[in-house]
Every structure is written in C-alpha cells, then in structure tokens.
Amino acid sequence: MSNLRIAIQKSGRLFEDSVQLLKECGIDLRNVKDRLRTESDNFPLEVFFLRDDDIPQYVEDGVADIGIVGENVVFEKNRQVEITEKLGFGKCRLSIAVPRSQEYDSIKCLEGKRIATSYPHMVTSFLAKNNVTAEIHEISGSVEIAPGIGLADVVADLVSSGSTLFMNGLKEVETILNSQAVLIKNKQLQPFSISLLDKLLFRIQAVKKAKRNKYILLNAPNDNLEKIISLLPGMKSPTVLPLAESGWSSIHSVLSEDQFWECIENLKAAGAQGILVVPIEKMVI
C-alpha cells in the first residue's frame, strides 16, 4: 500500500506542535531532527519537512497529499488546496498596526499610507474591500521596525501577544485575519489516499475532542442526586455507581472546558463532594 504524504514545517512555530499532534494520534515517527523526510513505523504516512511558504504549492502540485500550515500562508499563497480541518494550535492574527502616537478613527486613515508587510496579497485584498488606496511595501522579516526607520507609515504583520508591536511603539488598529494551523489537502486525491486521510482525521478529531473536555468524578448525596445530574451537560447520561457509604453515589461524566468552572461551582452548591477532574487522552464519540 502507498503512503499518505504529509508536508509540515521543518522549523518555526508550527513544527513542534505538528509533530506532537501526529504523536498524539499514535503515529510513531523516526528521528525528525534535521531531516527532510521520514516515515512512520506504524501508520502508512510519509512526512516531508518544508518551508511553510512552500507547503501550499507542494500540496497543490501533488508532491504532498496533505499539509499542516497556518491559514495566513494558505490565503496569502492563494493556491488551489482545500482546508480539511482546523487544528487549534498556532493561533495568531494578521493585523494592521500604526504608531501609538498616531490618531486612528477608521480604516480611511490608511488612505495614501505606505504599508510594510510580508502579506501583500491579503493586505491588498483587504484594502480593496474597504475602498482604500495605499502603497504596499513587501518585505520579509522585521516588519515592525519599518515605521521607525522611515520605510513605511504603517505595518501589517502577524501578531500573537502584541509585545513586539508594543516594544516598537506600535498599536493594532485593524484585524485582517484570525489564523491558526490547518490541515490542507490536494483537491484531486486518489481513493486510497482519501481512505488514509479519513483514518488520520478520525484520530486528529479524537485528540482535539479530548483536549476540549475533562473527565469528572464526584460523590453526591442520593437525596440530591437528580439535581446534581441535571447540572452535568456532558455526554449522554452520566454513570452513577453506589458508594460503600449508605445514601451516597459516585457520578462519572465529561465536561467541556467552556462549561467547566461554572459547572463545578454549581455542583458544589448542590452538595457534590470529592470532585476529581482528570484529563482525557483520546475521546471517540
């Protein structure tokens, strides 16, 4: 059987998370350090380590069947690939930033400005959508210093915490794109590759669901059992087991991260005791 070929970043902010995701999916990889290619020992997967900017083209051309790359790269390169799954890591945003001393009322303040960016395609599209005409200066790396050295008036760059912008005297004023790592695929995959991709996606989705949920165990007085169960919005019906101590039961359920703290407070108020919270490694529904 042929392998499914995946391209991931050879270095940079998505490399470690991409390799970790594959490992969490139960895929063993041989030594990945300083390699351009490797194979899994227990899943028909071949991994290529590439520059992130090149991944969409490799996938479009069919050199790789699938790839893990930031949405910002997918939209900037504008290749004919399909986003199959959002992966939840590598989150950032492509933002426009201006000097902190500059007043900014609306996007019309960008009219006629010089904008330094490594993302000319997305910035040009964003300006056109908002009927703004500006001068794009395409540069690679250290975009945030452009206003300080007189190269540009404004920058459009990736932002995570915003600390780099702050240190360079800039403030965010517009968000062009909220980005995260995504799994992309070639639009003309062969049936055997589609089958392998479906198996990989099944594993990825199980890992993602596990990260968004917690397994909870608690002790509840039987005279308040129905109320406590009603407070648990987990999967289907919770498991209820009698305790050795008369009048008490143990309840097992699953809570999502979004509901977790509020639900715990309500459970305690309803009389739940001995609440134990356990991380979930995989979650198959």
Side-chain angles (χ1 to χ4, degrees), residues 141-157:
S142 302
V143 172
E144 64 279 350
I145 69 170
I149 61 176
L151 179 63
D153 307 302
V154 177
V155 304
D157 200 14

Side-chain angles (χ1 to χ4, degrees), residues 52-258:
D52 58 344
D53 287 350
D54 294 335
I55 291 175
Q57 181 172 350
Y58 273 75
V59 173
E60 179 188 60
D61 293 344
V63 176
D65 301 308
I66 58 176
I68 296 177
V69 69
E71 284 178 285
N72 55 296
V73 176
V74 176
F75 293 124
E76 178 61 27
K77 296 304 177 182
N78 199 29
R79 297 291 179 179
Q80 294 302 305
V81 297
E82 182 179 326
I83 294 178
T84 303
E85 184 81 14
K86 294 192 175 187
L87 301 176
F89 60 83
K91 291 184 177 180
C92 61
R93 56 196 179 275
L94 178 62
S95 294
I96 291 178
V98 303
R100 287 205 302 272
S101 59
Q102 180 178 315
E103 291 187 12
Y104 187 90
D105 300 321
S106 73
I107 195 170
K108 294 301 180 183
C109 293
L110 301 176
E111 185 70 33
K113 299 292 187 182
R114 298 170 300 159
I115 303 178
T117 186
S118 301
Y119 298 89
H121 173 73
M122 279 193 287
V123 174
T124 299
S125 298
F126 177 76
L127 294 175
K129 185 194 298 186
N130 288 280
N131 299 312
V132 171
T133 301
E135 184 180 338
I136 305 296
H137 287 258
E138 182 179 357
I139 59 176
S140 58
S142 302
V143 172
E144 64 279 350
I145 69 170
I149 61 176
L151 179 63
D153 307 302
V154 177
V155 304
D157 200 14
L158 289 185
V159 180
S160 294
S161 67
S163 60
T164 302
L165 292 181
F166 182 82
M167 287 188 296
N168 285 276
L170 301 172
K171 62 182 179 182
E172 286 182 76
V173 293
E174 300 284 349
T175 299
I176 297 174
L177 173 73
N178 286 303
S179 176
Q180 63 178 289
V182 292
L183 185 71
I184 59 173
K185 73 172 185 178
N186 180 280
K187 289 187 173 182
Q188 298 179 342
L189 283 185
Q190 297 299 312
F192 69 88
S193 296
I194 293 174
S195 175
L196 291 176
L197 175 57
D198 287 343
K199 291 180 180 180
L200 179 61
L201 281 171
F202 177 80
R203 298 188 184 196
I204 289 174
Q205 289 161 1
V207 169
K208 286 175 59 184
K209 287 171 186 171
K211 289 182 177 179
R212 293 195 303 266
N213 292 274
K214 301 291 184 184
Y215 190 76
I216 181 172
L217 303 88
L218 58 89
N219 297 331
N222 289 344
D223 56 5
N224 223 13
L225 201 57
E226 288 188 12
K227 181 178 181 181
I228 290 176
I229 289 174
S230 72
L231 295 172
L232 291 168
M235 298 163 46
K236 297 185 179 179
S237 175
T239 300
V240 180
L241 301 171
L243 291 180
E245 183 178 347
S246 177
W248 285 81
S249 295
S250 174
I251 300 177
H252 299 210
S253 189
V254 173
L255 289 179
S256 74
E257 285 280 12
D258 295 337

Side-chain angles (χ1 to χ4, degrees), residues 7-15 49-52 55 68:
I8 67 174
Q9 213 177 41
K10 68 178 180 181
S11 62
R13 63 191 186 90
L14 298 186
F15 167 76
F49 300 97
L50 306 171
R51 289 180 64 252
D52 58 344
I55 291 175
I68 296 177

Side-chain angles (χ1 to χ4, degrees), residues 6-11 15 19 29-38 47-51 55:
I6 183 171
I8 67 174
Q9 213 177 41
K10 68 178 180 181
S11 62
F15 167 76
V19 171
L29 297 177
R30 300 166 192 164
N31 183 21
V32 299
K33 188 176 181 181
D34 300 323
R35 299 285 294 272
L36 296 178
R37 175 186 167 278
T38 191
V47 184
F48 301 141
F49 300 97
L50 306 171
R51 289 180 64 252
I55 291 175

